[in-house]
């Protein structure tokens, strides 16, 4: 492909248009309120970003394969709650409890994946039911009360929620997790054999199966991955704020899916972009943070967020149409 | 030389007997057309050969050896490549990635599914292939399949089957939904595939196409093979009446006599 052609296709790609919008949004917020780019505010945004961002990485791969997961917000809540209960009841050390929590996430993801692929029920219905089961379980085992989280310093706390200063910025280790996992996800989706399979499955499952691609196994593993990432994000969050609440992560499933599709990944499968998802995660974070700073009344937040998401989706749809014609 | 032989294949879906005792053989370097009305069992027959689902009964021989085909991968490993009716390509992937889907060239093989694609090799092989089949001038190996026309997609699917030196290439209704020009392109391509030494099983219900490319004709009705003739020995009207079942007995006698 000639360089000029490749460049123009990059310029027209969904992740690029998302990036442009992100920069515009950042500029608008920065001009409207000088505090937006202050070290404190940037540190704040960067503390939240990885927690939803990590889930969004798994969701991007899952969406690219043509499925999605509505139970991630509930898993985000349940995993740390289970970890803390195990520790508080003296049944396990913190390390073992974390492992048990992650294994629980593996089980939840596997159940989602097996029901979707082997019984053939849509992932919407399966994971919606799972959302209720998982959230219900979190509420039941805690009797609805938040638990005080592990707050003694140690290896795992540093690993998941340690913080460090860069100049006057304060970052959490979760940012490293997000960066590392993002690089891995980019590699898998764009450069690995597995990524080729994931895109093919979402684009035309029958075609992929006819070429010997194990479509169901790939999907089950992606459900597991997404669940595990949601659980990991929940643990990171619980450690950071030293509390595990059974209602933590409520509504995150939609926020995460919004990040992914705003970044340009197709809800219908086949076209996924991790770079787009990173841009999408930054964008939603910046919007939620920026509209507070510029003084939009709290109850009106979601109007803004919703309108911006819609605008982004319309933009992607128009670009897609254009590309198909051109 | 016989490449593929099917003996008494049977397949039922619940109470529907889609295949009842289907038998035939395919020789090296010939195009055999499989004809029959909608629901005759053509797709079922080729899905059985290509490993989409297991057969209930019967034997399959490849080059005289009895084989068991339990998955699409088994069929591909035996040199049987199928281009299914409902497009076999992933529209969101590039031509190159489609050509090697499921058989991607990789570096660091020990990484398994996480192994990186050998993109240079992928692109190089794809361009070479497109050139070999004479469609490189128009098509870029990096172009997305979703930007191609129906005929171009069929050509890509057929090229993919050829590249793995498949002994048998099965085409299920390859000219469905194609324009006149594109249809001719695909039929020309089928002849080239045969001339390159592959055997082709062509499923269609367009008799005119059959007389343009096929060497032999097999007709199915209600899960059975009711006639088998060389194209040189028959004509359009005769075949048409076999398909629809008009004056069956006389024609069957004629077939059996041969
Ligand atoms: N997966 C299936 N489940 C149930 N019945 C099927 C299935 N596939 C095909 N059939 C039935 O088997 C018969 C043969 O179908 P098919 O092989 O698709 O015919 P053709 O390709 O010749 O039009 C039809 O009666 C069809 O309804
Ligand atoms: Mg058919």
């Amino acid at each position: 492909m000639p360089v000029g052609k490749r460049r123009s296709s990059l310029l027209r790609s969904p992740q690029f248009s998302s990036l442009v919008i992100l920069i515009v949004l950042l500029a608008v917020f920065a001009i409207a309120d000088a505090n937006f780019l202050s070290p404190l505010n940037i540190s704040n945004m960067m503390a939240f970003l990885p927690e939803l961002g990590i889930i969004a990485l798994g969701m991007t791969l899952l969406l690219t394969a043509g499925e999605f997961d509505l139970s991630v917000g509930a898993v985000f809540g349940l995993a740390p709650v289970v970890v803390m209960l195990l520790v508080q009841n003296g049944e396990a050390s913190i390390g073992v409890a974390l492992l048990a929590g992650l294994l629980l996430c593996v089980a939840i993801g596997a159940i989602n994946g097996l029901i979707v692929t082997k019984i053939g029920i849509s992932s919407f219905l399966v994971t919606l039911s799972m959302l209720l089961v998982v959230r219900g379980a979190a509420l039941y085992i805690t009797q609805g009360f938040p638990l005080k989280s592990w707050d003694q310093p140690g290896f795992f706390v540093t690993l998941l929620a340690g913080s460090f200063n860069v100049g006057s910025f304060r970052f959490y280790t979760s940012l490293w997790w997000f960066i590392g996992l993002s690089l891995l996800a980019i590699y898998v989706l764009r450069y690995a054999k597995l990524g080729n399979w994931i895109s093919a499955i979402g684009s035309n499952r029958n075609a992929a199966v006819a070429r010997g691609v194990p479509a169901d196994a790939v999907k089950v593993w992606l459900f597991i991955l997404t669940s595990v990432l949601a659980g990991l994000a929940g643990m990171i969050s619980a450690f950071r704020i030293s509390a595990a609440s059974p209602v933590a992560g409520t509504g995150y499933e939609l926020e995460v899916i919004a990040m992914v599709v705003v970044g340009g990944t197709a809800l219908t499968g086949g076209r996924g972009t991790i770079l787009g998802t990173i841009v999408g995660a930054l964008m939603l974070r910046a919007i939620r943070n920026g509209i507070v700073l510029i003084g939009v009344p709290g109850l009106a937040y979601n109007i803004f967020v919703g309108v911006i998401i819609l605008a982004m989706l319309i933009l992607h749809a128009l670009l897609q149409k254009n590309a198909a014609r051109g | 030389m016989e490449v593929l032989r099917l003996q008494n294949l049977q397949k039922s879906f619940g109470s529907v007997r889609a295949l009842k005792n289907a038998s035939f053989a395919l020789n090296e370097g010939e195009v055999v057309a499989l004809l029959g009305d909608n629901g005759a069992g053509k797709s079922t027959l080729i899905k059985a050969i290509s490993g989409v689902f297991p057969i209930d009964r019967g034997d399959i021989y490849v080059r005289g050896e009895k084989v068991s085909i339990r998955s699409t991968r088994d069929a591909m490993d035996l040199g049987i490549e199928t281009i299914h009716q409902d497009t076999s390509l992933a529209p969101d992937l590039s031509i190159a990635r489609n050509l090697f889907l499921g058989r991607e060239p990789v570096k660091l093989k020990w990484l398994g599914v996480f192994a990186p694609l050998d993109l240079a090799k992928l692109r190089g092989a794809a361009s070479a292939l497109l050139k070999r089949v004479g469609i490189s001038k128009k098509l870029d190996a990096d172009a997305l399949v979703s930007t191609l026309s129906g005929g171009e997609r069929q050509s890509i699917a057929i090229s993919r089957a050829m590249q793995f030196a498949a002994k048998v290439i099965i085409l299920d209704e390859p000219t469905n939904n194609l324009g006149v020009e594109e249809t001719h392109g695909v039929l020309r391509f089928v002849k080239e595939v045969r001339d390159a030494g592959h055997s082709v099983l062509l499923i269609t219900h367009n008799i005119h196409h059959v007389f343009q490319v096929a060497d032999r004709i097999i007709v199915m009705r209600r899960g059975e093979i009711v006639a088998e003739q060389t194209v040189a020995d028959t004509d359009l009207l005769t075949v048409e009446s076999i398909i629809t079942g008009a004056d069956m007995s006389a024609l069957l006698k004629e077939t059996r006599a041969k």
Side-chain angles (χ1 to χ4, degrees):
Chain A
M1 193 186 284
V3 176
K5 202 168 155 195
R6 191 170 284 171
R7 185 171 300 148
S8 87
S9 78
L10 176 70
L11 291 182
R12 266 200 254 157
S13 69
Q15 60 267 43
F16 185 80
S17 50
S18 303
L19 182 63
V20 171
I21 306 271
L22 173 66
I23 292 169
V24 170
L25 269 173
L26 292 179
V28 168
F29 286 136
I31 293 165
D33 191 311
N35 284 328
F36 184 73
L37 291 182
S38 71
L40 178 66
N41 195 47
I42 289 183
S43 302
N44 263 337
M45 279 196 277
M46 289 299 142
F48 285 118
L49 174 77
E51 289 163 18
L52 283 167
I54 286 172
I55 313 178
L57 297 175
M59 192 74 84
T60 305
L61 298 182
L62 193 57
L63 271 174
T64 308
E67 305 289 349
F68 61 104
D69 186 350
L70 294 177
S71 67
V72 288
V75 172
F76 181 98
L78 178 67
V81 156
V82 167
V83 172
M84 291 314 147
L85 277 180
L86 284 176
V87 172
Q88 284 177 6
N89 295 345
E91 275 151 20
S93 67
I94 183 75
V96 173
L98 285 170
L99 187 66
L102 289 178
L103 285 178
L104 176 68
C105 299
V106 169
I108 293 171
I111 294 171
N112 279 337
L114 289 172
I115 297 179
V116 168
T117 56
K118 300 300 173 205
I119 304 184
I121 305 175
S122 84
S123 53
F124 178 85
L125 299 172
V126 173
T127 61
L128 182 63
S129 314
M130 189 56 86
L131 182 167
L132 297 173
V133 172
V134 171
R135 181 65 73 197
L139 286 166
Y140 182 71
I141 61 175
T142 57
Q143 294 299 306
F145 294 109
L147 302 169
K148 198 171 158 357
S149 178
W150 186 262
D151 53 4
Q152 296 153 41
F155 172 70
F156 290 108
V157 174
T158 313
L159 183 68
L160 292 176
S163 59
F164 55 96
N165 292 316
V166 178
S168 44
F169 295 92
R170 182 179 177 78
F171 294 125
Y172 285 88
T173 36
S174 55
L175 195 58
W176 291 121
W177 281 92
F178 183 48
I179 293 170
L181 290 168
S182 296
L183 292 175
L184 262 179
I186 289 171
Y187 167 75
V188 166
L189 191 55
R190 283 182 66 160
Y191 301 106
K193 180 158 130 180
L194 181 59
N196 207 37
W197 291 2
I198 292 173
S199 305
I201 292 166
S203 185
N204 183 349
R205 183 181 172 279
N206 289 340
V209 170
R211 303 309 298 166
V213 173
D216 289 354
V218 169
K219 282 187 180 178
V220 171
W221 281 109
L222 290 178
F223 273 108
I224 291 175
L225 173 76
T226 307
S227 243
V228 166
L229 291 180
L232 176 70
M235 293 171 191
I236 287 174
S237 172
F239 275 33
R240 183 173 57 77
I241 60 177
S242 295
S245 162
V247 293
T250 302
Y252 277 18
E253 54 282 344
L254 297 182
E255 185 96 3
V256 165
I257 291 174
M259 287 174 174
V260 176
V261 295
V262 156
T265 293
L267 200 53
T268 46
R271 292 192 311 275
T273 152
I274 297 289
L275 282 176
T277 293
I278 296 169
V279 171
L282 281 167
M283 191 182 302
L284 263 82
R285 199 67 263 152
I287 294 169
R288 289 220 177 267
N289 179 283
I291 55 183
V292 181
L293 285 184
I294 63 175
V296 171
L299 294 175
Y301 291 170
N302 280 338
I303 303 176
F304 276 73
V305 178
V307 167
I308 294 177
I309 292 174
L310 258 183
M312 289 301 305
L313 295 181
I314 291 169
L315 181 74
H316 288 319
L318 293 179
L319 286 173
Q320 178 73 22
K321 250 192 195 159
N322 237 330
R325 215 177 294 134
Chain B
M1 162 110 193
E2 184 180 291
V3 223
L4 178 71
R5 166 174 290 280
L6 311 177
Q7 208 129 38
N8 303 324
L9 292 200
Q10 297 185 17
K11 177 78 191 174
S12 299
F13 296 105
S15 61
V16 181
R17 293 184 64 198
L19 281 183
K20 325 169 185 159
N21 263 337
S23 307
F24 75 86
L26 187 63
N27 297 319
E28 198 166 73
E30 72 172 346
V31 177
V32 170
L34 185 58
L35 285 162
D37 241 340
N38 274 331
K42 307 181 296 292
S43 293
T44 304
L45 181 69
I46 61 122
K47 280 179 180 163
I49 308 172
S50 56
V52 173
F53 44 58
I55 46 174
D56 298 339
R57 246 200 203 137
D59 297 314
I60 301 176
Y61 298 84
V62 173
R63 303 221 163 199
E65 254 178 68
K66 192 168 158 184
V67 297
S68 84
I69 299 177
R70 286 196 214 88
S71 66
T72 50
R73 175 62 67 161
D74 283 349
M76 283 157 69
D77 289 345
L78 286 166
I80 301 170
E81 290 277 342
T82 306
I83 293 137
H84 292 282
Q85 195 163 7
D86 28 25
T87 114
S88 337
L89 302 177
D92 298 305
L93 267 53
S94 68
I95 293 177
R97 281 178 178 245
N98 262 287
L99 285 172
F100 289 91
L101 181 55
R103 283 176 167 172
E104 296 85 353
V106 294
K107 297 181 222 167
L108 310 177
K109 215 174 186 145
W110 54 273
L111 281 171
V113 294
F114 296 103
L117 297 175
D118 189 338
L119 291 174
K121 197 166 167 189
L122 186 78
R123 221 170 273 140
S127 304
L129 181 74
L130 291 177
K131 192 170 282 164
R132 182 155 73 85
V133 299
I135 41 182
S136 69
K137 265 159 258 128
K138 281 190 295 176
L139 298 180
D140 177 352
D142 280 330
L144 295 185
V145 164
S146 60
T147 62
L148 306 183
S149 73
E152 286 167 341
R153 289 182 202 200
Q154 283 297 356
S155 305
I156 296 295
I158 301 172
S159 329
R160 181 172 65 186
M162 286 172 75
Q163 90 185 299
F164 295 110
K167 296 180 189 115
V168 179
I169 297 177
I170 301 173
L171 299 162
D172 194 0
E173 311 260 8
T175 55
N176 253 12
N177 311 318
L178 295 191
V180 178
E181 194 66 21
E182 290 187 329
T183 297
H184 283 298
V186 169
L187 292 178
R188 205 176 317 122
F189 205 35
V190 168
K191 283 189 213 161
E192 284 166 20
V193 170
R194 173 194 51 200
D195 295 343
H198 306 272
S199 309
V200 179
L201 185 58
L202 174 71
I203 289 87
T204 176
H205 50 230
N206 187 321
I207 310 179
H208 302 274
H209 296 169
V210 170
F211 279 85
Q212 284 175 49
V213 295
D215 303 307
R216 223 148 42 91
I217 294 176
I218 291 172
V219 183
M220 285 188 78
R221 265 165 56 78
R222 297 204 203 96
E224 282 174 303
I225 288 174
V226 294
E228 215 183 310
Q229 308 199 309
T230 50
V231 167
D233 293 343
T234 188
D235 59 68
L236 223 141
L237 283 178
T238 315
V239 174
E240 197 148 55
S241 60
I242 301 176
I243 294 173
T244 55
D247 197 11
M248 277 278 298
S249 52
L251 284 159
L252 263 182
K253 240 179 262 157
E254 185 187 314
T255 315
R256 295 251 159 84
K258 269 174 195 153

